[in-house]
Each structure stands twice: as C-alpha cells, then as structure tokens.
Amino acid sequence: QVQLVESGGGLVQPGGSLRLSCAASGFTFSMFVMSWYRQAPGKERELVARMSRSGGSTDYADSVKGRFTISRDNGKNTVFLQMNSLKPEDTAVYYCKAQREAWPGTIYWGQGTQVTVSS
C-alpha cells in the first residue's frame, strides 16, 4: 500500500521556520522524483520545490528561492522541506508528490499539511 505522510506543519510567526517531512512507503523511493507543492485558499496548486532521484538536482519556485531547501534521505524514504524566513503569503496546505522518472511516470500524492504564517 502506497503512502506519503506529511508532517511538521503548524502555526508560525512571520520570519519563523518550519521543517516539513514526508515519509514514503509502498514503492521504491529512490526511483521517484520528489516534490513539494502548496495550495492556498482560492488558488491553484503550485510547485514549491523538486529534487531529483539522487538529490543532485533541485528546482525552486522563484517565490521561495533562498528561503526554502528541499532534501531527501533515500535510506529513510523521506523528503524534507526546510522553510526559513516565512511570510504570510507562504500560508497554504503543503503537499508531497512522488513521480516515477521512468515510464509510466506514476504519481502519488500525500494528504497535505497546513502551514499558517501569522502574527
């Protein structure tokens, strides 16, 4: 049974930090590109950060560059998102996504974790 379980969300003041985790099971983690997406109320889901299978390549949304860092531990089947200097506009539900790099490009999503940045 495939599972992606996010954790680490919560309420934080502007300028604060949070570290999200996504624990994967039920598939070969190292074969999948891992990403974090977010969706704010009334907005479309957007890519926040993406990391290659080996961890050697990353992509970030312009809005989070220099503040967020994605990492993965293939030995523990976990991907992380370190979020620093948080802003109110970072408030959203954050989702973990796994996509198999090779055909058929199978995609799995986590259930999401709420991040609220507010004073």
Side-chain angles (χ1 to χ4, degrees):
Q1 180 183 359
V2 171
Q3 281 193 309
L4 289 173
V5 180
E6 299 101 332
S7 61
L11 173 64
V12 62
Q13 292 187 341
S17 298
L18 283 175
R19 189 189 194 210
L20 305 183
S21 300
C22 172
S25 60
F27 62 96
T28 306
F29 184 76
S30 61
M31 298 293 289
F32 284 68
V33 173
M34 298 302 298
S35 305
W36 286 96
Y37 282 70
R38 68 186 180 187
Q39 188 166 19
K43 295 188 176 181
E44 293 187 355
R45 192 173 296 189
E46 63 173 357
L47 175 68
V48 175
R50 177 171 51 215
M51 175 166 270
S52 63
R53 294 186 298 146
S54 67
S57 176
T58 56
D59 294 303
Y60 294 93
D62 287 343
S63 58
V64 307
K65 281 181 182 177
R67 300 189 297 123
F68 290 12
T69 303
I70 188 171
S71 61
R72 65 190 291 166
D73 185 336
N74 284 352
K76 295 183 178 180
N77 292 354
T78 304
V79 62
F80 304 96
L81 186 68
Q82 178 67 44
M83 305 186 295
N84 299 328
S85 302
L86 283 160
K87 305 175 181 180
E89 51 264 43
D90 294 318
T91 296
V93 178
Y94 283 70
Y95 297 91
C96 175
K97 173 189 172 185
Q99 182 165 4
R100 193 170 189 269
E101 192 169 41
W103 186 89
T106 307
I107 293 173
Y108 303 120
W109 287 95
Q111 83 289 350
T113 185
Q114 176 70 47
V115 171
T116 302
V117 184
S118 175
S119 54

